[in-house]
Amino acid sequence: MGVSVFRSLIVAAALMAADSAMAAQDKDEADLLQQFDKVDVWHFPVDTTVRYNNQDTIVTRELVFQPAPPKGELCYVRFDLVKGEGDYGYGFKPGVAPAERKNTVWGVNVLKRGTVLDQHYSTLKLNVVYFFVEGPKSASAKDICEKKQSAATAEAGNAYKGPWADLVTKARAIHGWPAQK
């Protein structure tokens, strides 16, 4: 019995080490670590499902970093889509130049359209990942932040579609990487 408990502890420790190794192997984090001394990661999970006709969810969020604010400067905000079905959108408000927008404010929408007989649903699960950096290793290190954030991709938040909420709600960011499933 003692051996099986010991084996369980070893397996649990190996799984926890694998999760941190996976986060350390993230491509964006690795790119930023080549340019900066430190990278601090925060995230916020979005999990919204709409099942009924015209029951739309349209949210604009600004993250609050507590209990202690992150050290360093915000470099890049990435949108990691976990699951998306139906009519949904996410990212930064379109039509605003990246230099003029506030990179802590972004929006999501999950929309339901149909009839009483057509009860399909829309769902959106994603993680919004914030990369804060400290200690640039070169004068051009900050260029990588601008390059990543201005990419014309949904991952960089620049492919938002659908309605945008003018009311901004504050949400609390979570320090570290999202849990791996």
Side-chain angles (χ1 to χ4, degrees):
M1 183 167 160
V3 172
S4 65
V5 170
F6 182 68
R7 284 184 187 158
S8 298
L9 289 173
I10 289 175
V11 169
L15 288 174
M16 288 185 350
D19 279 347
S20 9
M22 285 178 69
Q25 292 175 359
D26 179 78
K27 182 183 181 314
D28 286 327
E29 186 176 18
D31 289 347
L32 294 175
L33 280 171
Q34 290 178 0
Q35 302 291 326
F36 297 92
D37 292 332
K38 293 181 183 178
V39 176
D40 191 17
V41 176
W42 291 68
H43 77 280
F44 183 79
V46 173
D47 188 355
T48 304
T49 300
V50 173
R51 296 190 180 275
Y52 302 104
N53 292 338
N54 297 318
Q55 179 195 359
D56 299 342
T57 300
I58 304 168
V59 180
T60 303
R61 289 200 171 97
E62 179 174 12
L63 292 195
V64 177
F65 300 91
Q66 294 177 341
K71 295 179 181 173
E73 184 178 330
L74 178 61
C75 175
Y76 176 50
V77 180
R78 185 176 78 193
F79 296 83
D80 290 344
L81 181 64
V82 176
K83 179 182 181 183
E85 293 182 34
D87 192 2
Y88 65 89
Y90 58 89
F92 295 110
K93 188 173 186 175
V96 178
E100 297 172 6
R101 71 181 178 208
K102 191 172 181 183
N103 280 349
T104 54
V105 177
W106 45 267
V108 299
N109 67 61
V110 183
L111 310 175
K112 176 65 178 99
R113 300 287 184 257
T115 66
V116 173
L117 301 175
D118 181 15
Q119 290 293 312
H120 296 289
Y121 71 99
S122 295
T123 188
L124 173 63
K125 287 185 180 185
L126 65 90
N127 290 303
V128 183
V129 182
Y130 285 69
F131 294 90
F132 290 87
V133 294
E134 285 184 86
K137 295 180 179 177
S138 69
S140 63
K142 291 187 180 184
D143 292 345
I144 192 170
C145 300
E146 186 178 330
K147 179 182 169 197
K148 285 182 175 291
Q149 201 66 76
S150 63
T153 63
E155 188 175 69
N158 295 317
Y160 190 92
K161 66 180 174 105
W164 184 267
D166 291 323
L167 176 66
V168 178
T169 58
K170 294 195 183 257
R172 186 174 174 196
I174 302 166
H175 189 248
W177 283 99
Q180 300 291 323
K181 292 184 180 183

